[in-house]
Amino acid sequence: MALDFVAGCIGGAAGVLVGHPFDTVKVRLQVQSVDKPLYRGTYHCFQSIVRQESMLGLYKGIGSPMMGLTFINAIVFGMQGNAMRVLGTDTPLHQFLAGAAAGFIQCVICCPMELAKTRMQMQGTGEKSASRKMYRNSLDCLIRIHRKEGVRGINRGMVTTVIRETPGFGVYFLAYDTLTRTLGCDAEADYIIPKLLLAGGMAGMASWISTYPVDVIKSRLQADGVGGANRYDGIVDCVRQSWRREGWRTFTRGLTSTLLRAFPVNATTFATVTLFLMYMRENDDSMKDCEPMQPSLQHSSL
């Protein structure tokens, strides 16, 4: 179990490093003003951040997901494994339920982590060197929010996080299980690495597509109040205002950058986890199957 945990953390860290620039672009596109948009699209946003804020601008807020990674993976691994053991048989429905349970539980860490990440990503927008930074780092961000708004403040967006993560992780585990079975991801199969990359990447994309509109609302609620007064009174008000001002397209803002991020992040994560465990358990008879849904190897976080 400890080896699975270490493997997941390494794979998750690799995924964060690969995908964080795309996540920064996604958040900027999701929360920009429709009246005075700074970016015309995914490529323009990416280009503008690099030109105005340097390459480091793409990695703003990376400290938060890195800090929360260990705790999230521990919760996801433990919960998914225990849920599968309780459910008994390995069926598509049980894969979905186990993933959904894992997604629900890890929201306790995921929500504050993403709040800090979003606030850090929005800080100093369009500035290479922000003259006045509100937050020094992700931890300082959470501390300041707690001082000002209390526990409720650091859990801003919790309901939308639960709505996104619970079915999202269910789809994630189900899609990966289905793809690995279809592709024949046995440890001794030919082209095992490309198969794992394809299965992991496609599972990540399927998961994001299934819950993306909720993520848009979550990002807007968590970014609300940065540099000014709060715009939204809650989830329903955020949905109503967004729909009235921007129409249905508001719920697809940043989707391109999200899918561009989802494939390499999840492909990298699964390949790293699997190869690490295959190397560490080279002579272990239990390593007969490369599928992460087996007790010996499980998913890392989205």
Side-chain angles (χ1 to χ4, degrees):
M1 197 70 180
L3 194 59
D4 297 335
F5 173 76
V6 174
C9 289
I10 293 173
V16 170
L17 288 173
V18 169
H20 194 77
F22 294 102
D23 188 71
T24 299
V25 172
K26 180 204 74 169
V27 171
R28 293 285 182 92
L29 289 172
Q30 285 180 335
V31 304
Q32 71 174 341
S33 171
V34 65
D35 298 321
K36 298 180 180 179
L38 295 174
Y39 315 112
R40 294 191 297 271
T42 299
Y43 179 73
H44 181 248
C45 180
F46 185 91
Q47 187 182 50
S48 297
I49 293 173
V50 172
R51 185 175 65 251
Q52 298 170 356
E53 306 171 43
S54 79
M55 284 295 294
L56 293 178
L58 294 169
Y59 284 92
K60 283 184 176 180
I62 195 172
S64 180
M66 280 296 186
M67 283 193 302
L69 187 64
T70 299
F71 301 103
I72 287 177
N73 284 343
I75 294 171
V76 170
F77 290 175
M79 188 64 203
Q80 195 271 344
N82 288 331
M84 285 301 295
R85 281 188 286 273
V86 170
L87 292 170
T89 56
D90 185 2
T91 65
L93 176 60
H94 288 173
Q95 289 292 347
F96 178 86
L97 293 176
F104 176 79
I105 296 298
Q106 60 91 42
C107 289
V108 176
I109 303 297
C110 179
C111 180
M113 180 197 78
E114 292 201 347
L115 173 65
K117 174 184 69 67
T118 299
R119 295 292 178 91
M120 290 294 294
Q121 287 172 326
M122 295 305 299
Q123 182 171 255
T125 299
E127 300 177 21
K128 181 169 289 189
S129 179
S131 57
R132 186 180 171 207
K133 291 185 177 181
M134 184 177 296
Y135 312 115
R136 294 193 300 273
N137 49 52
S138 298
L139 182 59
D140 179 60
C141 176
L142 289 175
I143 291 174
R144 287 175 178 270
I145 292 173
H146 183 268
R147 285 176 180 171
K148 184 178 180 180
E149 305 175 46
V151 175
R152 185 174 181 178
I154 61 174
N155 285 294
R156 179 190 291 269
M158 177 63 78
V159 175
T160 47
T161 300
V162 170
I163 295 172
R164 183 195 69 180
E165 297 290 86
T166 302
F169 266 92
V171 171
Y172 188 48
F173 277 74
L174 175 61
Y176 190 77
D177 177 65
T178 301
L179 287 166
T180 50
R181 291 179 189 277
T182 302
L183 294 171
C185 282
D186 298 320
E188 297 179 359
D190 294 331
Y191 308 110
I192 181 63
I193 294 178
K195 288 179 179 179
L196 288 171
L197 290 171
L198 178 61
M202 294 302 293
M205 292 176 71
S207 177
W208 272 108
I209 290 173
S210 68
T211 59
Y212 192 76
V214 181
D215 185 67
V216 174
I217 299 303
K218 181 199 71 69
S219 293
R220 292 193 172 197
L221 289 173
Q222 291 186 326
D224 193 30
V226 175
N230 290 333
R231 180 185 300 177
Y232 310 115
D233 292 331
I235 298 173
V236 175
D237 183 55
C238 182
V239 172
R240 185 187 299 115
Q241 287 195 43
S242 298
W243 177 273
R244 186 172 61 245
R245 292 167 62 87
E246 305 167 57
W248 65 269
R249 292 184 183 277
T250 187
F251 301 110
T252 62
R253 279 186 178 273
L255 180 59
T256 300
S257 61
T258 298
L259 296 180
L260 287 173
R261 166 184 176 267
F263 191 93
V265 166
N266 291 283
T268 300
T269 298
F270 280 121
T272 302
V273 169
T274 303
L275 292 174
F276 176 82
L277 283 173
M278 289 178 71
Y279 174 78
M280 297 299 292
R281 295 176 174 174
E282 189 173 7
N283 299 317
D284 190 341
D285 291 336
S286 66
M287 192 61 184
K288 297 291 186 182
D289 197 320
C290 68
E291 292 184 12
M293 276 58 69
Q294 302 301 324
S296 62
L297 181 58
Q298 301 163 19
H299 277 70
S300 63
S301 67
L302 284 166

